[in-house]
mmCIF file of all heavy atoms in Angstrom:
data_model
loop_
_atom_site.group_PDB
_atom_site.id
_atom_site.type_symbol
_atom_site.label_atom_id
_atom_site.label_comp_id
_atom_site.label_asym_id
_atom_site.label_seq_id
_atom_site.Cartn_x
_atom_site.Cartn_y
_atom_site.Cartn_z
ATOM 1 N N GLY W 1 96.874 139.524 107.650
ATOM 2 C CA GLY W 1 97.121 140.415 106.523
ATOM 3 C C GLY W 1 97.937 139.751 105.423
ATOM 4 O O GLY W 1 98.245 140.370 104.419
ATOM 5 N N ALA W 2 98.289 138.490 105.604
ATOM 6 C CA ALA W 2 99.073 137.760 104.609
ATOM 7 C C ALA W 2 98.131 136.964 103.715
ATOM 8 O O ALA W 2 97.468 136.037 104.183
ATOM 9 C CB ALA W 2 100.063 136.815 105.299
ATOM 10 N N PRO W 3 98.062 137.331 102.430
ATOM 11 C CA PRO W 3 97.151 136.618 101.533
ATOM 12 C C PRO W 3 97.641 135.208 101.204
ATOM 13 O O PRO W 3 98.836 134.939 101.204
ATOM 14 C CB PRO W 3 97.140 137.487 100.282
ATOM 15 C CG PRO W 3 98.469 138.158 100.292
ATOM 16 C CD PRO W 3 98.803 138.376 101.747
ATOM 17 N N ASP W 4 96.686 134.337 100.931
ATOM 18 C CA ASP W 4 97.006 132.979 100.504
ATOM 19 C C ASP W 4 97.562 133.042 99.089
ATOM 20 O O ASP W 4 97.025 133.748 98.242
ATOM 21 C CB ASP W 4 95.737 132.125 100.530
ATOM 22 C CG ASP W 4 95.967 130.716 100.040
ATOM 23 O OD1 ASP W 4 96.920 130.080 100.515
ATOM 24 O OD2 ASP W 4 95.187 130.258 99.179
ATOM 25 N N ARG W 5 98.641 132.327 98.836
ATOM 26 C CA ARG W 5 99.221 132.322 97.493
ATOM 27 C C ARG W 5 98.933 131.036 96.750
ATOM 28 O O ARG W 5 99.281 130.898 95.606
ATOM 29 C CB ARG W 5 100.735 132.507 97.593
ATOM 30 C CG ARG W 5 101.105 133.869 98.081
ATOM 31 C CD ARG W 5 102.151 134.396 97.202
ATOM 32 N NE ARG W 5 102.530 135.720 97.625
ATOM 33 C CZ ARG W 5 103.507 136.375 97.084
ATOM 34 N NH1 ARG W 5 104.223 135.827 96.143
ATOM 35 N NH2 ARG W 5 103.795 137.574 97.496
ATOM 36 N N GLY W 6 98.393 130.036 97.426
ATOM 37 C CA GLY W 6 98.017 128.833 96.705
ATOM 38 C C GLY W 6 98.844 127.615 97.046
ATOM 39 O O GLY W 6 99.390 127.506 98.141
ATOM 40 N N THR W 7 98.917 126.733 96.077
ATOM 41 C CA THR W 7 99.573 125.445 96.272
ATOM 42 C C THR W 7 100.657 125.232 95.223
ATOM 43 O O THR W 7 100.665 125.885 94.186
ATOM 44 C CB THR W 7 98.547 124.302 96.186
ATOM 45 O OG1 THR W 7 97.922 124.329 94.901
ATOM 46 C CG2 THR W 7 97.494 124.423 97.278
ATOM 47 N N ILE W 8 101.540 124.310 95.536
ATOM 48 C CA ILE W 8 102.616 123.914 94.615
ATOM 49 C C ILE W 8 102.542 122.409 94.450
ATOM 50 O O ILE W 8 102.317 121.677 95.418
ATOM 51 C CB ILE W 8 104.001 124.284 95.179
ATOM 52 C CG1 ILE W 8 104.176 125.800 95.273
ATOM 53 C CG2 ILE W 8 105.124 123.668 94.335
ATOM 54 C CD1 ILE W 8 105.468 126.227 95.955
ATOM 55 N N SER W 9 102.756 121.947 93.240
ATOM 56 C CA SER W 9 102.940 120.511 93.027
ATOM 57 C C SER W 9 104.112 120.320 92.073
ATOM 58 O O SER W 9 104.341 121.127 91.175
ATOM 59 C CB SER W 9 101.674 119.851 92.475
ATOM 60 O OG SER W 9 101.382 120.305 91.174
ATOM 61 N N VAL W 10 104.863 119.265 92.324
ATOM 62 C CA VAL W 10 105.970 118.865 91.465
ATOM 63 C C VAL W 10 105.754 117.386 91.180
ATOM 64 O O VAL W 10 105.546 116.598 92.110
ATOM 65 C CB VAL W 10 107.346 119.062 92.146
ATOM 66 C CG1 VAL W 10 108.472 118.590 91.232
ATOM 67 C CG2 VAL W 10 107.542 120.512 92.552
ATOM 68 N N LYS W 11 105.776 117.025 89.904
ATOM 69 C CA LYS W 11 105.523 115.633 89.528
ATOM 70 C C LYS W 11 106.560 115.178 88.522
ATOM 71 O O LYS W 11 106.867 115.904 87.575
ATOM 72 C CB LYS W 11 104.120 115.519 88.934
ATOM 73 C CG LYS W 11 103.757 114.137 88.475
ATOM 74 C CD LYS W 11 102.275 113.986 88.134
ATOM 75 C CE LYS W 11 101.843 114.805 86.984
ATOM 76 N NZ LYS W 11 100.458 114.488 86.547
ATOM 77 N N ILE W 12 107.100 113.989 88.728
ATOM 78 C CA ILE W 12 108.027 113.376 87.777
ATOM 79 C C ILE W 12 107.395 112.079 87.297
ATOM 80 O O ILE W 12 106.971 111.240 88.108
ATOM 81 C CB ILE W 12 109.403 113.106 88.408
ATOM 82 C CG1 ILE W 12 110.062 114.430 88.790
ATOM 83 C CG2 ILE W 12 110.292 112.306 87.447
ATOM 84 C CD1 ILE W 12 111.417 114.299 89.433
ATOM 85 N N THR W 13 107.323 111.920 85.975
ATOM 86 C CA THR W 13 106.782 110.707 85.376
ATOM 87 C C THR W 13 107.830 110.075 84.470
ATOM 88 O O THR W 13 108.727 110.749 83.968
ATOM 89 C CB THR W 13 105.512 111.011 84.559
ATOM 90 O OG1 THR W 13 105.809 112.023 83.604
ATOM 91 C CG2 THR W 13 104.379 111.472 85.458
ATOM 92 N N ASP W 14 107.691 108.773 84.267
ATOM 93 C CA ASP W 14 108.611 108.074 83.368
ATOM 94 C C ASP W 14 108.075 108.109 81.939
ATOM 95 O O ASP W 14 107.041 108.730 81.663
ATOM 96 C CB ASP W 14 108.882 106.642 83.867
ATOM 97 C CG ASP W 14 107.647 105.756 83.878
ATOM 98 O OD1 ASP W 14 106.650 106.076 83.189
ATOM 99 O OD2 ASP W 14 107.683 104.728 84.585
ATOM 100 N N SER W 15 108.770 107.450 81.017
ATOM 101 C CA SER W 15 108.392 107.485 79.602
ATOM 102 C C SER W 15 107.035 106.839 79.332
ATOM 103 O O SER W 15 106.426 107.089 78.297
ATOM 104 C CB SER W 15 109.474 106.796 78.756
ATOM 105 O OG SER W 15 109.606 105.437 79.163
ATOM 106 N N LYS W 16 106.539 106.035 80.264
ATOM 107 C CA LYS W 16 105.218 105.414 80.127
ATOM 108 C C LYS W 16 104.124 106.266 80.768
ATOM 109 O O LYS W 16 102.966 105.876 80.787
ATOM 110 C CB LYS W 16 105.218 104.032 80.771
ATOM 111 C CG LYS W 16 106.168 103.048 80.125
ATOM 112 C CD LYS W 16 106.162 101.746 80.887
ATOM 113 C CE LYS W 16 107.234 100.819 80.339
ATOM 114 N NZ LYS W 16 107.370 99.619 81.176
ATOM 115 N N GLY W 17 104.525 107.406 81.344
ATOM 116 C CA GLY W 17 103.564 108.264 82.013
ATOM 117 C C GLY W 17 103.270 107.847 83.444
ATOM 118 O O GLY W 17 102.394 108.412 84.091
ATOM 119 N N GLU W 18 104.007 106.859 83.948
ATOM 120 C CA GLU W 18 103.811 106.394 85.321
ATOM 121 C C GLU W 18 104.510 107.341 86.295
ATOM 122 O O GLU W 18 105.600 107.851 86.018
ATOM 123 C CB GLU W 18 104.365 104.979 85.496
ATOM 124 C CG GLU W 18 103.661 103.930 84.662
ATOM 125 C CD GLU W 18 102.225 103.713 85.078
ATOM 126 O OE1 GLU W 18 101.939 103.784 86.301
ATOM 127 O OE2 GLU W 18 101.383 103.499 84.191
ATOM 128 N N LEU W 19 103.900 107.539 87.436
ATOM 129 C CA LEU W 19 104.454 108.436 88.442
ATOM 130 C C LEU W 19 105.730 107.867 89.049
ATOM 131 O O LEU W 19 105.751 106.744 89.535
ATOM 132 C CB LEU W 19 103.419 108.678 89.551
ATOM 133 C CG LEU W 19 103.804 109.677 90.626
ATOM 134 C CD1 LEU W 19 103.969 111.079 90.046
ATOM 135 C CD2 LEU W 19 102.741 109.684 91.730
ATOM 136 N N VAL W 20 106.803 108.659 89.004
ATOM 137 C CA VAL W 20 108.076 108.314 89.650
ATOM 138 C C VAL W 20 108.115 108.926 91.040
ATOM 139 O O VAL W 20 108.572 108.311 91.995
ATOM 140 C CB VAL W 20 109.276 108.797 88.806
ATOM 141 C CG1 VAL W 20 110.588 108.619 89.561
ATOM 142 C CG2 VAL W 20 109.307 108.064 87.471
ATOM 143 N N GLY W 21 107.613 110.138 91.157
ATOM 144 C CA GLY W 21 107.592 110.805 92.455
ATOM 145 C C GLY W 21 106.923 112.150 92.347
ATOM 146 O O GLY W 21 106.643 112.646 91.250
ATOM 147 N N GLY W 22 106.676 112.740 93.518
ATOM 148 C CA GLY W 22 106.033 114.037 93.507
ATOM 149 C C GLY W 22 106.006 114.686 94.872
ATOM 150 O O GLY W 22 106.412 114.091 95.880
ATOM 151 N N LEU W 23 105.531 115.911 94.870
ATOM 152 C CA LEU W 23 105.476 116.727 96.079
ATOM 153 C C LEU W 23 104.246 117.615 95.997
ATOM 154 O O LEU W 23 103.904 118.102 94.922
ATOM 155 C CB LEU W 23 106.736 117.586 96.170
ATOM 156 C CG LEU W 23 106.843 118.606 97.292
ATOM 157 C CD1 LEU W 23 108.292 118.755 97.725
ATOM 158 C CD2 LEU W 23 106.285 119.964 96.882
ATOM 159 N N THR W 24 103.603 117.820 97.144
ATOM 160 C CA THR W 24 102.561 118.829 97.264
ATOM 161 C C THR W 24 102.946 119.763 98.406
ATOM 162 O O THR W 24 103.546 119.334 99.396
ATOM 163 C CB THR W 24 101.171 118.224 97.524
ATOM 164 O OG1 THR W 24 101.204 117.455 98.721
ATOM 165 C CG2 THR W 24 100.718 117.356 96.358
ATOM 166 N N ALA W 25 102.610 121.030 98.234
ATOM 167 C CA ALA W 25 102.953 122.042 99.239
ATOM 168 C C ALA W 25 101.967 123.192 99.122
ATOM 169 O O ALA W 25 101.206 123.291 98.157
ATOM 170 C CB ALA W 25 104.378 122.546 99.022
ATOM 171 N N TRP W 26 102.014 124.070 100.098
ATOM 172 C CA TRP W 26 101.211 125.294 100.083
ATOM 173 C C TRP W 26 102.132 126.477 100.341
ATOM 174 O O TRP W 26 103.226 126.313 100.869
ATOM 175 C CB TRP W 26 100.094 125.253 101.130
ATOM 176 C CG TRP W 26 100.541 124.837 102.499
ATOM 177 C CD1 TRP W 26 100.489 123.572 103.017
ATOM 178 C CD2 TRP W 26 101.144 125.647 103.512
ATOM 179 N NE1 TRP W 26 101.017 123.555 104.287
ATOM 180 C CE2 TRP W 26 101.421 124.817 104.625
ATOM 181 C CE3 TRP W 26 101.479 126.999 103.596
ATOM 182 C CZ2 TRP W 26 102.003 125.288 105.801
ATOM 183 C CZ3 TRP W 26 102.060 127.465 104.767
ATOM 184 C CH2 TRP W 26 102.314 126.616 105.854
ATOM 185 N N THR W 27 101.682 127.646 99.947
ATOM 186 C CA THR W 27 102.428 128.871 100.230
ATOM 187 C C THR W 27 101.486 129.874 100.868
ATOM 188 O O THR W 27 100.307 129.968 100.506
ATOM 189 C CB THR W 27 103.047 129.473 98.954
ATOM 190 O OG1 THR W 27 102.023 129.776 98.018
ATOM 191 C CG2 THR W 27 104.045 128.513 98.325
ATOM 192 N N TRP W 28 102.013 130.614 101.837
ATOM 193 C CA TRP W 28 101.185 131.603 102.536
ATOM 194 C C TRP W 28 102.113 132.563 103.279
ATOM 195 O O TRP W 28 102.923 132.139 104.093
ATOM 196 C CB TRP W 28 100.243 130.901 103.504
ATOM 197 C CG TRP W 28 99.442 131.813 104.379
ATOM 198 C CD1 TRP W 28 98.676 132.874 103.981
ATOM 199 C CD2 TRP W 28 99.336 131.757 105.796
ATOM 200 N NE1 TRP W 28 98.088 133.468 105.068
ATOM 201 C CE2 TRP W 28 98.473 132.796 106.201
ATOM 202 C CE3 TRP W 28 99.871 130.930 106.771
ATOM 203 C CZ2 TRP W 28 98.150 133.023 107.523
ATOM 204 C CZ3 TRP W 28 99.539 131.161 108.085
ATOM 205 C CH2 TRP W 28 98.678 132.199 108.450
ATOM 206 N N GLY W 29 101.993 133.818 102.971
ATOM 207 C CA GLY W 29 102.725 134.851 103.698
ATOM 208 C C GLY W 29 104.225 134.663 103.698
ATOM 209 O O GLY W 29 104.882 134.915 104.699
ATOM 210 N N GLY W 30 104.788 134.204 102.587
ATOM 211 C CA GLY W 30 106.236 134.009 102.500
ATOM 212 C C GLY W 30 106.728 132.678 103.031
ATOM 213 O O GLY W 30 107.927 132.421 103.059
#
């Protein structure tokens, strides 16, 4: 009965647009 809420992403880039770091996650039922 817990609906899917989707995904989360967090991305940090430098002044050149290059990836510094990031995170992927999902959310579901709290």
Side-chain angles (χ1 to χ4, degrees):
D4 177 50
R5 292 227 179 175
T7 60
I8 294 174
S9 67
V10 178
K11 178 169 65 171
I12 296 179
T13 55
D14 64 19
S15 60
K16 297 176 187 172
E18 296 294 324
L19 184 64
V20 172
L23 175 147
T24 59
W26 49 265
T27 60
W28 174 52

